[in-house]
Amino acid sequence: MVKVYRCNPEVGEKPHYRSYEVPWHEGMTVLEVLRSIYENHEPIAFRYHCRSGVCGACGVMVNGRPVLACRTYVEGPGELVIEPLKNFNVIKDLVVDRRPMLEQTIKLEPWLLRGHKAAVDFEKVEWSLESKDKFYLLASCRECYLCRAACPAAEVGFRKPEVTKYPGAKFYVRDLATRLLDPRDEGKHTRAVKLKEDIDAYACTTCKKCWEVCPREFEVPEVMEELRSHIANVGLGPLEGHMVFADFIKKTGRAVDRQATPLVEQVPELIDVANPIDEVLFFTGCLIDFRLQRVGLGIIDVLKRNNVRVIVPKDQQCCGSPAIRSGLFGVGKAQAMKNVEVFERYGVSKVVMGCPGCLLTWKTNYPKFIYEERKNLPRLEVYEITEYLVKILGLDKINKNFSSVDMRVTYHDSCHLRRGCGIWKEPRELISIIPGLKFREMNEHDVCCGSGGGVRAGRRAVSVEIGKRKVDNIVAAEVDGVIMECPFCYIQIRDVLQQFHGGKVKVLYLIELIADAYKGAEGN
Amino acid sequence: MIEVKRISTDVLVIGGGAAGMRAAIAASDMGAQVVLIDKGLFGRSGMSGTLPYWNVPAPPFPEDRDGYFEDLMNGSHGLADPKLIKILVSEGKDRVLELEEYGNIFIRDSAGEVSPAHADSHSKARIFTPAYSWIMSMQVLKRGIVVYDETFATRLIKSNDRVSGAVAFNLKEGSILAVEAKATVLATGGAGHLFGMDTRLWQSTNPIELTGDGYALAYDVGAELIDMEFNQIALEPQYSASRGQTYSSTALALARTLRSATTFQETPSVHHFLGGVLIDENGRTTVPSLYACGEVSGGLHLKATDQFIGCLVFGRRAGEAAAIEKAGEGMPEKEVKKEVNRVISILNNAPNDGVPPHVLRKRLTRSLWEEVGLRKDENSLTNALRILEDTKILLPKMIVRDKSKLFNKEWVEALETYNMVIVAEMIVRSSLLRRESRGVFTRADYPRSDERYLGHFHIKKVGGQMHLEFRSLRGPQRGLEVVVDPSEKVK
């Protein structure tokens, strides 16, 4: 059964869904489904041209996910909901209006900008092989706009254009990144202005939703950070809200100010256990260290109860993520050097952390930075605490002496954890072993909460709008608590829930919940 | 009632692929006002928009002009017009280097030379790849050229003997566009989709918009076409995975490196048309004020690999020549009305035993693929002609089920079907008459080439009938005596 969005404004038809029986066969594509409806039922309107995934015309939403119809297989005879691409006006049925996209593209002037009329002496242009390869890759963008349809910031831009003008990843990747890679282009300053003012480059939460649906699998956050670094290099960025963090890092080595006693000062450097089965270093991260100390204590407690010796290096500093996300690579690199040097001192290889932002930085940025400086890689393996519990200790082997936690709960996927580090099964597995929890997935459980990529700090209004969509989904799930494993998401969702729903749903940090369940069992 | 929007311009370009865009840029750079009509999505339409990037000969080829000339002439088995090929070879380098000025990046070695790769039927490595369709489309938009995309030109309008504009159907608005122009450039591409209209790449690599509209439009106003029987077939990699495995329809090199992979399978597909609307050195057709360039044009007899350079060189020439055309008589109101009525009548047609266009098209394309596409002989071609005649009879029975005007793809399909029938007839009739195998044209019953057929079948509409005439390239005495009766029908 296939449900298709139908709407024909010409005859005053309101949007509605119509169901069609379409016989399924092995290897059937969504395009074949649409064509089959067109031929055998009624001529629904949809676009397609090349049938080979190159022209980018056949983008539609299938079961809520933007895909190219010609390159997407229908896995079985189950129900299929086909809708027009999100964040577009609909012309008719599945056909969306792409004209505004073309107009936006022209405004970005994605041709060679030359300050003077002199012709380019192409034979003398110096190109690094790396940037050339990158140019070819980014120029091969299919212009399918699946990135726009998947993007939480573009959704805000479409719904509330007064809040942000963020149009979707394509414009950054294909129209601006390609030209900024080009040594012949002399529009570097104009492009920085356009990036910042015209298309709001600081509204991207680097949630990687676009990467997930992109037919070319572009690493958009990486491109976005380079573009932000370009804005910073010409002196137009980052934003005021970002500078607070950057200044703190430069001054104190930490990203936030001291309010209560930081975790590293509350606990001894070595937390030993009787018969250790493993030994780990604990990288706390600024938010856990300075704001959510209870979460940090929870991590130490959970490790202790599983016979793991924990070392909390006193000299650790901010991972540098807030600087890197807003394009200040120099500050980020200095932090990487300091932290790696401190952690390598102990001769212990495993590093555990409870913040996906730090984890992503350690996993993706650190090896690059360290290699640039030392020509070798850090001698450290990094794990998120839930990943460590499930993968290293083993779900069947960990201590299960929990008390029952009677609650209806749902889980919010942190973007950095799920798409950044590929960790989404582990937290759910841990939730499943805590007795009493009644778990249900919420709608759009893996959509960004609005705090990442420096958006909460720099573009609060955008952040709140993205967050609103998140908390509406949480409330709609009719649960008592929402569980997550990320300090940024935790603070953001807590605040936005309070703002729109008066704290109706409890916000829970997974590792803290586990620690509490251990403690509860002890009390009995 | 349908809204008819009237506009007037110096140059009208029909088609938004490499040739059409180059023509529009050239005309605009000459100071002409240009309107471009594109049936697909602008910047991504046509065969050139459907490729991940373009294959263009590497810039240093002038040192090797003679060799390139020889290869193109030999590759055409004597059918290419040496006058045109000479121009192509001498201007090619500049056109390619322009692509770099437009913002493409070519791979150059430390000496600044471009490193080329080898292509089929070339005696040395000359092909260099990465140029992008969208980069050229930006040059069009930068110049402020008015672009109507998802707009389908349904007929060229004549004032006395010259073409004075066209009537087109704008899908997105559900309205009709009547464009009056001093000169019109056809750049509508080929007709690969005549051989298959599947939702996969079976049978044809071409995007669905390539239904031979330009051939039919030009034929309708009395232009001459040649070499319509020459359809290049390519082995195409068929994909089988979804995400992250986007293979270009023509990336044969990639297919070869991956051939061992079990997911891969190569199948033959109609890829490219070598013939088309006959042009001269400036892209002029045999009808005044009508120009053609790219795959829709005939005379260069280029294979797909060399077609891009043909698009660029003759796109520019056609655009420049069109830009200096003097204004003639305007579009006769009567003719515009007649065409609007025809288009509307196809939408409103409601016979009792109506057939939706896809039914007719499926039958026609299957027959063309099976009897004309890969293997053909007298028998199969005769069969194809019979099915073609049947299809013609069924045309008035065609029904468009959705009667609304907005984005009505079925309406477009119905209009296209009329063009497809005309083009199919050109292909089948000239294939029947060419009793030999030459270059990309193969007949199972005549597997060898026959020097008497060194020449072109010229197709023209005479008195409402399709007229075919053979003109030998071996001089009048030594040519083949082919008498073609235009009224000849296959029983």
Side-chain angles (χ1 to χ4, degrees):
Chain A
M1 185 69 81
V2 182
K3 244 169 81 180
V4 179
Y5 178 99
R6 302 294 309 274
C7 169
N8 185 0
E10 184 189 337
V11 294
E13 196 181 71
K14 291 257 152 54
H16 62 286
Y17 290 84
R18 200 166 288 170
S19 294
Y20 304 93
E21 252 347 305
V22 179
W24 176 83
H25 60 80
E26 187 72 45
M28 191 179 205
T29 64
V30 172
L31 182 58
E32 283 170 298
V33 170
L34 292 172
R35 189 69 200 182
S36 165
I37 295 170
Y38 175 96
E39 288 178 3
N40 305 321
H41 294 271
E42 51 186 335
I44 53 170
F46 59 101
R47 269 196 192 103
Y48 74 106
H49 288 287
C50 78
R51 308 159 294 149
S52 56
V54 183
C55 76
C58 65
V60 285
M61 309 288 294
V62 174
N63 295 343
R65 186 188 157 98
V67 296
L68 287 182
C70 72
R71 310 308 312 272
T72 306
Y73 287 111
V74 181
E75 272 163 22
E79 203 192 75
L80 215 57
V81 183
I82 307 179
E83 296 161 302
L85 278 189
K86 255 189 166 170
N87 307 334
F88 280 92
N89 288 317
V90 175
I91 294 180
K92 182 179 176 182
D93 300 342
L94 302 173
V95 178
V96 296
D97 188 2
R98 289 170 57 125
R99 197 81 205 176
M101 300 300 107
L102 198 58
E103 282 159 10
Q104 176 72 73
T105 307
I106 299 169
K107 280 187 205 149
L108 297 177
E109 306 183 315
W111 41 80
L112 267 189
L113 286 177
R114 303 283 297 168
H116 51 88
K117 285 280 168 211
V120 189
D121 192 353
F122 290 97
E123 292 172 18
K124 297 225 174 83
V125 174
E126 297 269 324
W127 272 89
S128 74
L129 204 62
E130 200 199 342
S131 57
K132 228 173 221 183
D133 283 351
K134 216 167 190 179
F135 176 90
Y136 293 137
L137 176 70
L138 300 184
S140 75
C141 163
R142 308 298 196 219
E143 235 176 311
C144 59
Y145 295 108
L146 301 189
C147 51
R148 177 176 166 89
C151 178
E155 192 268 337
V156 175
F158 181 67
R159 180 160 48 89
K160 283 195 167 176
E162 69 278 11
V163 175
T164 177
K165 286 187 259 178
Y166 190 89
K170 173 254 166 190
F171 300 92
Y172 302 86
V173 171
R174 198 202 73 174
D175 299 331
L176 289 166
T178 49
R179 285 287 82 100
L180 287 168
L181 280 164
D182 193 335
R184 305 166 301 178
D185 190 75
E186 290 175 4
K188 304 285 189 252
H189 194 271
T190 344
R191 297 201 194 279
V193 176
K194 282 184 197 297
L195 269 170
K196 193 183 166 196
E197 309 293 336
D198 299 0
I199 54 172
D200 203 1
Y202 290 106
C204 167
T205 64
T206 62
C207 76
K208 277 186 110 170
K209 259 287 177 193
C210 45
W211 161 85
E212 198 175 52
V213 299
C214 175
R216 309 290 299 141
E217 295 180 59
F218 287 149
E219 290 286 346
V220 178
E222 211 176 279
V223 175
M224 196 61 74
E225 280 156 21
E226 272 165 32
L227 292 175
R228 288 176 181 176
S229 157
H230 172 73
I231 303 176
N233 288 344
V234 301
L236 292 170
L239 302 176
E240 231 173 279
H242 301 137
M243 285 316 290
V244 178
F245 293 105
D247 289 343
F248 261 113
I249 295 172
K250 276 191 249 172
K251 248 186 277 165
T252 66
R254 308 308 302 241
V256 292
D257 61 332
R258 187 187 173 102
Q259 288 173 357
T261 315
L263 178 74
V264 282
E265 290 173 25
Q266 288 182 27
V267 295
E269 183 156 45
L270 176 72
I271 298 132
D272 215 348
V273 288
N275 297 304
I277 55 163
D278 201 1
E279 186 177 25
V280 297
L281 295 162
F282 177 26
F283 182 81
T284 59
C286 300
L287 282 186
I288 289 178
D289 207 355
F290 282 60
R291 293 284 185 277
L292 304 173
Q293 289 89 341
R294 283 178 302 115
V295 173
L297 292 170
I299 291 175
I300 295 170
D301 190 49
V302 170
L303 288 169
K304 244 167 60 184
R305 284 171 198 268
N306 282 286
N307 296 319
V308 178
R309 179 192 285 145
V310 187
I311 301 163
V312 190
K314 293 282 174 199
D315 295 337
Q316 57 181 294
Q317 292 198 351
C318 170
C319 68
S321 164
I324 298 166
R325 308 294 153 238
S326 51
L328 300 170
F329 289 171
V331 180
K333 195 172 181 175
Q335 293 307 109
M337 292 303 292
K338 275 180 220 157
N339 283 321
V340 169
E341 193 261 312
V342 167
F343 276 70
E344 278 180 348
R345 260 187 234 155
Y346 294 85
V348 174
S349 67
K350 294 191 184 97
V351 183
V352 164
M353 49 195 85
C355 171
C358 303
L359 182 75
L360 186 73
T361 311
W362 274 82
K363 273 195 173 169
T364 59
N365 302 92
Y366 276 27
K368 234 185 279 173
F369 287 145
I370 300 298
Y371 191 82
E372 277 168 16
E373 287 298 315
R374 312 198 308 210
K375 299 290 168 235
N376 65 17
L377 295 172
R379 293 181 296 276
L380 297 161
E381 303 155 26
V382 286
Y383 300 98
E384 207 281 330
I385 178 70
T386 61
E387 181 190 20
Y388 178 80
L389 290 174
V390 174
K391 274 200 194 143
I392 304 300
L393 296 185
L395 192 67
D396 48 338
K397 292 200 191 79
I398 58 171
N399 178 356
K400 292 190 193 62
N401 191 17
F402 298 120
S403 64
S404 179
V405 185
D406 293 316
M407 256 182 144
R408 294 171 304 168
V409 291
T410 189
Y411 177 73
H412 158 71
D413 279 287
S414 147
C415 303
H416 285 350
L417 202 55
R418 186 187 177 100
R419 284 176 292 277
C421 302
I423 299 169
W424 52 278
K425 258 193 206 145
E426 292 84 348
R428 287 177 170 80
E429 281 170 354
L430 288 170
I431 290 169
S432 76
I433 60 165
I434 299 174
L437 287 183
K438 279 180 265 325
F439 179 77
R440 69 169 65 145
E441 289 287 4
M442 66 169 128
N443 194 20
E444 300 182 335
H445 53 81
D446 63 345
V447 173
C448 183
C449 69
S451 74
V455 177
R456 186 179 153 96
R459 299 283 289 110
R460 183 59 69 97
V462 183
S463 164
V464 170
E465 282 299 332
I466 298 175
K468 184 175 183 297
R469 177 171 161 199
K470 179 92 254 173
V471 298
D472 287 351
N473 277 319
I474 292 171
V475 170
E478 296 182 335
V479 287
D480 307 312
V482 54
I483 301 174
M484 63 211 63
E485 182 69 10
C486 171
F488 293 93
C489 301
Y490 182 89
I491 293 169
Q492 164 82 351
I493 291 178
R494 187 192 62 196
D495 290 358
V496 183
L497 255 174
Q498 186 63 40
Q499 186 180 339
F500 291 103
H501 298 283
K504 203 170 155 191
V505 179
K506 227 173 155 188
V507 182
L508 305 156
Y509 210 110
L510 178 56
I511 198 69
E512 197 187 343
L513 184 74
I514 294 170
D516 287 349
Y518 279 137
K519 269 184 219 134
E522 205 173 55
N524 288 341
Chain B
M1 264 317 286
I2 193 160
E3 186 202 343
V4 182
K5 196 171 158 187
R6 274 156 212 284
I7 50 174
S8 171
T9 183
D10 296 333
V11 176
L12 166 66
V13 177
I14 305 174
M21 290 195 283
R22 192 62 191 83
I25 290 170
S28 172
D29 287 350
M30 294 281 286
Q33 197 190 348
V34 184
V35 170
L36 188 146
I37 291 178
D38 189 339
K39 192 162 129 194
L41 287 165
F42 184 61
R44 309 208 71 78
S45 81
M47 198 59 213
S48 43
T50 299
L51 295 169
Y53 46 73
W54 297 347
N55 293 293
V56 287
F61 66 69
E63 291 76 66
D64 160 46
R65 264 184 200 172
D66 294 345
Y68 190 41
F69 179 83
E70 287 301 314
D71 280 357
L72 291 182
M73 289 307 294
N74 292 341
S76 79
H77 295 262
L79 291 178
D81 182 343
K83 266 197 328 280
L84 302 182
I85 297 295
K86 230 167 235 153
I87 292 170
L88 180 93
V89 169
S90 68
E91 292 180 9
K93 181 179 180 180
D94 292 342
R95 295 295 82 73
V96 172
L97 288 182
E98 255 163 22
L99 295 177
E100 219 174 1
E101 305 258 352
Y102 290 167
N104 286 293
I105 291 158
F106 294 160
I107 298 169
R108 290 168 184 271
D109 58 24
S110 51
E113 292 292 330
V114 174
S115 12
H118 209 108
D120 290 348
S121 90
H122 280 253
S123 57
K124 64 186 271 193
R126 294 203 180 90
I127 297 303
F128 173 70
T129 44
Y132 297 90
S133 182
W134 72 267
I135 288 185
M136 193 183 246
S137 76
M138 289 302 130
Q139 291 294 320
V140 172
L141 297 171
K142 183 186 169 188
R143 285 165 172 78
I145 292 165
V146 181
V147 175
Y148 290 92
D149 68 349
E150 300 194 304
T151 299
F152 172 38
T154 61
R155 175 153 294 174
L156 296 174
I157 302 294
K158 263 174 115 175
S159 311
N160 298 321
D161 64 330
R162 64 178 276 280
V163 170
S164 54
V167 171
F169 168 62
N170 185 334
L171 254 104
K172 271 186 292 199
E173 290 173 9
S175 63
I176 282 180
L177 194 66
V179 191
E180 190 173 86
K182 290 176 193 161
T184 303
V185 182
L186 275 182
T188 51
H193 220 58
L194 251 68
F195 290 86
M197 48 175 298
D198 205 83
T199 44
R200 301 243 191 140
L201 282 184
W202 314 124
Q203 301 163 21
S204 172
T205 59
N206 293 186
I208 58 159
E209 60 263 32
L210 292 189
T211 49
D213 308 312
Y215 303 128
L217 291 177
Y219 169 80
D220 181 59
V221 292
E224 246 176 62
L225 292 96
I226 60 166
D227 296 347
M228 288 302 287
E229 65 275 33
F230 289 88
N231 319 127
Q232 188 182 349
I233 303 231
L235 280 177
E236 290 307 319
Q238 296 292 342
Y239 55 80
S240 73
S242 50
R243 188 174 129 95
Q245 289 203 17
T246 311
Y247 301 115
S248 106
S249 51
T250 54
L252 276 170
L254 175 67
R256 285 184 188 120
T257 58
L258 293 170
R259 192 176 264 166
S260 56
T262 49
T263 55
F264 245 103
Q265 193 186 341
E266 280 181 12
T267 62
S269 303
V270 174
H271 184 47
H272 184 68
F273 275 54
L274 281 74
V277 185
L278 183 63
I279 57 165
D280 72 0
E281 296 92 314
N282 289 314
R284 278 195 191 90
T285 68
T286 52
V287 176
S289 301
L290 181 65
Y291 296 75
C293 52
E295 197 179 344
V296 74
S297 67
L300 285 140
H301 209 89
L302 295 173
K303 288 198 188 131
T305 322
D306 303 298
Q307 184 63 64
F308 282 109
I309 195 79
C311 287
L312 301 175
V313 169
F314 286 90
R316 174 170 182 265
R317 287 189 151 244
E320 287 189 349
I324 53 174
E325 282 258 348
K326 298 272 182 305
E329 242 174 278
M331 275 199 295
E333 191 57 23
K334 209 181 85 206
E335 289 299 311
V336 175
K337 270 215 179 102
K338 208 169 110 191
E339 177 58 8
V340 173
N341 288 339
R342 181 186 79 98
V343 171
I344 295 282
S345 75
I346 287 169
L347 177 70
N348 292 336
N349 193 24
N352 288 331
D353 47 353
V355 211
H358 70 89
V359 176
L360 279 190
R361 286 162 65 123
K362 266 197 177 156
R363 193 154 165 258
L364 179 67
T365 55
R366 188 179 305 127
S367 135
L368 283 171
W369 171 247
E370 284 169 4
E371 327 213 78
V372 190
L374 202 52
R375 185 192 176 280
K376 50 186 165 284
D377 58 24
E378 192 81 22
N379 226 346
S380 73
L381 288 165
T382 315
N383 266 337
L385 200 56
R386 193 174 298 125
I387 287 178
L388 190 55
E389 294 297 337
D390 287 354
T391 313
K392 266 192 204 166
I393 294 165
L394 284 171
L395 282 176
K397 298 244 182 247
M398 212 156 38
I399 183 168
V400 180
R401 292 167 293 171
D402 176 3
K403 297 294 180 199
S404 70
K405 293 173 186 74
L406 196 65
F407 218 97
N408 191 337
K409 250 318 200 331
E410 197 172 36
W411 191 3
V412 172
E413 283 191 4
L415 288 161
E416 284 171 351
T417 311
Y418 282 87
N419 293 342
M420 289 166 76
V421 167
I422 294 169
V423 180
E425 185 169 349
M426 293 178 190
I427 297 167
V428 177
R429 282 197 186 276
S430 42
S431 297
L432 258 173
L433 290 170
R434 188 173 285 280
R435 295 192 173 96
E436 63 153 356
S437 291
R438 177 179 297 274
V440 300
F441 179 83
T442 50
R443 285 261 311 239
D445 45 354
Y446 299 98
R448 288 168 184 282
S449 74
D450 181 341
E451 277 311 286
R452 291 179 301 165
Y453 283 95
L454 180 61
H456 307 286
F457 284 98
H458 288 244
I459 304 168
K460 199 179 165 179
K461 189 170 165 186
V462 178
Q465 291 276 21
M466 191 175 288
H467 180 91
L468 280 91
E469 186 191 324
F470 183 76
R471 288 189 210 152
S472 173
L473 292 167
R474 304 169 73 223
Q477 282 81 36
R478 295 156 70 202
L480 178 75
E481 295 287 320
V482 185
V483 183
V484 187
D485 178 4
S487 62
E488 181 194 354
K489 286 264 157 62
V490 177
K491 300 281 152 359

